Amino acid sequence: MQDSPGTTDPRPSHPISRRDALRYAAAVSALAGFGVAAAGTPTASAAAPTLIDFAMRQLAAQDIRAAGHSGVINYVSTSRPGSSFGAKPITLPYAQSLTAAGLVIVSNYQYGKPGGTAPSDFTRGYAGGVSDARTAWQLHTAAGGGQSAPIFFSVDDDIDHNTWNTVALQWFRGINSVIGVQRTGIYGGINACQWATADGVIGRSRSPGRVWAWQTRSWSRGQVHPAAVLYQRVVSTESNPGPVVGGLPVDVSDVLAQDCGQWNLHP
């Protein structure tokens, strides 16, 4: 990456109401114009609809649309000590401008990072997960995020299974205790996405067979988790910058499911 609600039932969602079904159909129709067929399941490819993520500053909705992207994955976290990222956290006026332009929004939490001025979030254990979930939910809802929309919490590192079991898993369980499993998602490489799915700490998309996994190409060995809803195909770095939108290099993620956790499907 660039840089208190009650708990919910972690079991698969119940059948949705007619009103929610109509809202879902409308959102699917909007995404269909970017390459998602209503009856099909997109794959990780340049033909899929794309969402961008960025941290340095807010990008104008018209620039995002002009670049051909269907929305953003934006932070519901603040900047680390010693940094000041203009896109962290997403604000209500900015979210409203994106929505008015027909763009979708997905929420992501990342405060610390490896080698940064704050340690990687997943290292903070159960209590850290509780604290991070409270912060994420407050910023998400303040910006107008949907009450049932997921937040993707970042494991922005190449961890092994032992680190997952002894450290990261406890962090996710702390998150679950605050916002519930169904509103919890993960950002990470293929292994972390698979472990989170197997251990039942992330929720399920309304798209059949999909879970709240936003997989990055980093640490994924060219593989794509079949249950992921998003795949970060372009990771912008100083040495290999991503495509430029509004004067800023961005990360690009393919949308792999009609329900990828966008706010307008989860009011």
Side-chain angles (χ1 to χ4, degrees):
M1 291 217 37
Q2 294 206 29
D3 237 90
S4 126
T7 58
T8 57
D9 191 337
R11 294 171 296 181
S13 301
H14 296 296
I16 60 176
S17 68
R18 182 175 181 275
R19 188 181 77 168
D20 284 346
L22 292 174
R23 182 183 294 110
Y24 178 52
V28 168
S29 177
L31 284 176
F34 294 94
V36 176
T41 301
T43 58
S45 72
T50 51
L51 305 182
I52 59 174
D53 68 270
F54 46 89
M56 192 60 62
R57 58 180 170 83
Q58 295 176 344
L59 296 178
Q62 60 266 30
D63 291 335
I64 297 171
R65 286 188 60 88
H69 303 293
S70 57
V72 305
I73 306 166
N74 218 147
Y75 290 98
V76 288
S77 51
T78 58
S79 297
R80 293 180 294 278
S83 62
S84 181
F85 295 112
K88 298 180 74 170
I90 188 170
T91 62
L92 180 59
Y94 184 55
Q96 290 173 332
S97 74
L98 296 173
T99 300
L103 298 169
V104 302
I105 304 168
V106 174
S107 288
N108 167 248
Y109 181 90
Q110 183 175 8
Y111 178 69
K113 67 176 296 185
T117 56
S120 296
D121 302 326
F122 72 86
T123 66
R124 291 169 18 86
Y126 187 95
V130 170
S131 177
D132 291 342
R134 288 173 176 165
T135 298
W137 191 252
Q138 189 276 321
L139 294 172
H140 170 88
T141 54
Q147 291 293 309
S148 63
I151 298 173
F152 292 82
F153 290 83
S154 301
V155 178
D156 198 9
D157 205 349
D158 187 16
I159 65 173
D160 59 25
H161 203 188
N162 181 65
T163 302
W164 169 262
N165 283 331
T166 59
V167 182
L169 180 56
Q170 308 314 311
W171 181 61
F172 273 98
R173 286 178 172 155
I175 293 166
N176 293 164
S177 74
V178 177
I179 64 174
V181 170
Q182 184 53 31
R183 289 186 293 211
T184 303
I186 186 172
Y187 165 89
I190 188 168
N191 287 344
C193 290
Q194 290 172 332
W195 297 331
T197 303
D199 287 328
V201 292
I202 57 174
R204 295 180 179 274
S205 164
R206 292 174 183 170
S207 296
R210 301 284 176 166
V211 296
W212 300 137
W214 173 21
Q215 183 189 336
T216 176
R217 65 176 296 175
S218 302
W219 322 301
S220 291
R221 307 176 301 280
Q223 302 174 48
V224 180
H225 183 27
V229 292
L230 293 163
Y231 178 72
Q232 190 180 54
R233 175 169 45 86
V234 178
V235 181
S236 182
T237 64
E238 289 187 10
S239 61
N240 189 24
V244 174
V245 176
L248 185 70
V250 299
D251 298 338
V252 181
S253 293
D254 294 329
V255 176
L256 306 183
Q258 285 118 355
D259 178 10
C260 62
Q262 61 267 51
W263 291 4
N264 60 317
L265 275 189
H266 299 274

